Amino acid sequence: MPDSKAQQVVEVRAALSHALGAADDTLEAAQRAYEAAVTRRARVVAAARERRIRLAGERDKRLREIDEQHDRDLAALAGAAAETALVAAPGAAGLPWAQWRPTPAGTQVPAPELRVGRLLLPYDGEVPALVPLLDHGHVVVEGDERIGDDVVAGLLLRALGSSQAGRVRLTGYDPEQLGGGLAGFAPLAPAGVLSFVGPGGLPALLDELVDHVRRINETVLAGEHSSLRELAAATGRRPEPWRVAILLGAGRADELSRHERSQLDRLLRTGAACGVHLIMRGFPVRPAAGIEVVQAAEGDAARLGGCGDLPVRLDAGPPASVVTRTCRQIAEEVAAGPAPVALDSLLPEQEWQQSSARALTAPLGDSPQGAPVHVTLSDYPPHALIAGPSGTGKTNLIYAWMGSLAARYSPAELAFYLLDFKEGVSFARFAPGRRDPSWLPHVRLVGVNVNTDREFGLALLRFLADELRSRADAAKRHEVTNLAELRAEDPGGTWPRIVAVVDEFQVLLSGRDAVAAEAVNLLEDLARRGRSQGIHLVLASQDVSGIEALWGRPALVAQFSLRIALPRARRVLAETNQAADSLPRYHAVVNADSGATEANRVVRVPDAGNRERWSELQHRLWRHRPAELSAPRLFDGDAIPRLEDSPEFRVFTPADTVAAPVVLLGETIDVTSRSARTVLRRAPGRNIAVLGTRVDEACAVLGTAARSLAAQFAPGAARYSVACLDTDAEAAVSALLAQLSSDDTGKFTEANIDFLLEDAAASAQSGTAADKPHFIFVYAADAAPKGSHELLRQIMRHGPERRIHVIGWWRGAALLRDTLGGQASRTDMVGAWVALDVHGSELSPYYPGHGSPNWYPRPWRALHFDRSVHRGAEVIIPYGPS
């Protein structure tokens, strides 16, 4: 039992000891856990503290980034606003007064907004404060009157300076100061840009503006466009100027009558669409769309209706000197006339699409209302007279008309023949040149610098008369009466309408001579009968009143029912029609009823003289020309033709035998560039005499004759003898001999010419013809020894039948008569002659009948006559040295 107790005690003690050990272990573990928890808590607290610090840093950084981004965004918005303001108000519309200058815009749509000050932004930024006026609406100025006057002056000057001169017209109503508020703009009044209305003139002004709006809606917009702004955007043209009425100090609302209030409301509602704008101070106006209110005040207290409550610092008024200088400049530009529109405004969308069978119709420009003014050439009106003093744009008008026609009608439908009697090359651009090989495909002939070559104008009329006969004969064959019917019956024929333009045509008709008489007769026939066959004449002149040959024939003048008068033109319109007296530059009166006042149409003519713009059109048409179309004939009266360019000379081919050699002597003054020629047949008189003292021209004619003969004969097939009896001709003779075949050519001088003449005279009197032609060229034949004259006469009398021909130069018509045997001698042994500086009266012995040719010598021109083919002499131009 005791043992068992002891055992139990031991066990209990062992259990307690084990429990104590376990408790200690647990306590120790708990202690460690506690310490670990404390450590972990400390780390968590430290981490939380560090995270809070980091988050605070990130928060502060992000807040700084947000602030910086906000500042950048605000700066970008401010920059964008400033750039937008610059775009909306470029140049004069937005420049500060210190840098201000007029910068008139072209056809900017819409018109720029106008700066009145600076818009102050909340973040210490500022951008230009702009007010929309032209093409937008109206402006009401309230508040301080002095500052308000500055605002009005600034708006007006910016509107004037940012538009073309005369495109903004001002009307002032200032009953309180009687116009004093607009005194700085007074220089505009003489030019019609500014007008004033008296204190009692407000009702009439409002009525006139309302009527203007009605006219714009009915005649200009005509239901096709909702506003002039839309019309300008669609067409690129502003047909009407802006009308700005400045209404200052009307007073209380009860001072306006019911009618005035009604008219004012109409203008506020409909005026802006028609280019009528109001700037008002002191007028009761209810807020509405299109009305900008400017609250004028000192400092930052000003406000703009379109900018909410943002403060505005208004600009000071424009300097008085700037206003006066600008207004004077505008007035001068208006007095000089508006700038022309571009040539492109006349061109169709598709070129060469119209038929000329019945008429030629094309716009010449715009009317004052902006509608195109079309001009027609047909059976009525058939022909045109154009008149205008120098510098009024006559040539430009012709260019514009030609360009408009050429773009609509193909070369198969229209042909131009152009002649300019002025000293100049106005029409030369239509023919190929050295720098520009293109030409206007419709042009068949260009004559320039022909003021001394009236014969060329006569040649053109003769050519047109031949064409008229040809068309009339074709009409008879087809049993028709006019061009439209002929083209319908003969669709395969070539029947374009012909427009012959003769500038300064009075030169052709000046003088009382055979040229003027024949020219008037041809003109009258062409004017009377040409209309039905599609031949139209356009005659232009600086001063039509002095043309006796034209005005003396009322039947001829009556055919020119289409009259075009440029500024200050005289007598081209009816005597009582003074419309041309007040025309500005680049304008013309077009009248299709012989100048009657009621038929006037005013046209603004584009700038067609610009070579770059014209070249673009001409090159485009030239590239589309028919392949078979040849370049036009260019006759330049100041140019000396070259034998190498002669079509007749180019077709010569050397041959062993030539039955009738052709001698070329010069170029005829004719529509076709043909050569004057004389045929050396085996017949009496087939010799040629050149008469005159001009050595260079005489040598040129003889050299041309020799070269043209040499081009027809193979080497050895003809004989050439050249006798030089004038030392001044030595250089020309040497140059000629270098071009002729030396085996068949002999040179003779005064020392040995007798040998040549004796041999040739013997051959001439022999019974048989020479085995080959013998051509004897004698330079200064009158200088031959006296004893040799008889030999020369024998050669000239009998030689041609033996194929021996003399081509000689005599230094005077009387000297040739001496060679032929004196005053009583016959002259028929000289069958052809070329007269240089010899007057017509001296040529009567060599001219058929009892008269003499109408010939007055002029430089590098000659008179050619061949009795075997000519009824009268022809004027030629000697070919120059090759």
Side-chain angles (χ1 to χ4, degrees), residues 230-250:
E230 181 183 306
L231 173 62
T235 64
R237 302 190 302 273
R238 293 188 182 273
E240 291 282 340
W242 289 285
R243 297 284 303 272
V244 179
I246 306 98
L247 310 181
L248 302 179

Side-chain angles (χ1 to χ4, degrees), residues 165 187-188 191 193 325-337:
L188 297 173
V193 179
R325 182 176 65 250
T326 303
C327 291
R328 286 176 179 170
Q329 178 182 339
I330 292 173
E332 292 173 358
E333 293 179 9
V334 171

Side-chain angles (χ1 to χ4, degrees), residues 69 107 209 226 256 360 398 413 450 530 536 557 715 812 851 855 858:
Q69 183 64 42
T107 56
L209 292 176
S226 62
L256 294 178
L360 291 169
I398 294 173
E413 300 286 336
V450 292
H536 307 281
V557 178
W855 171 243
R858 51 189 190 266

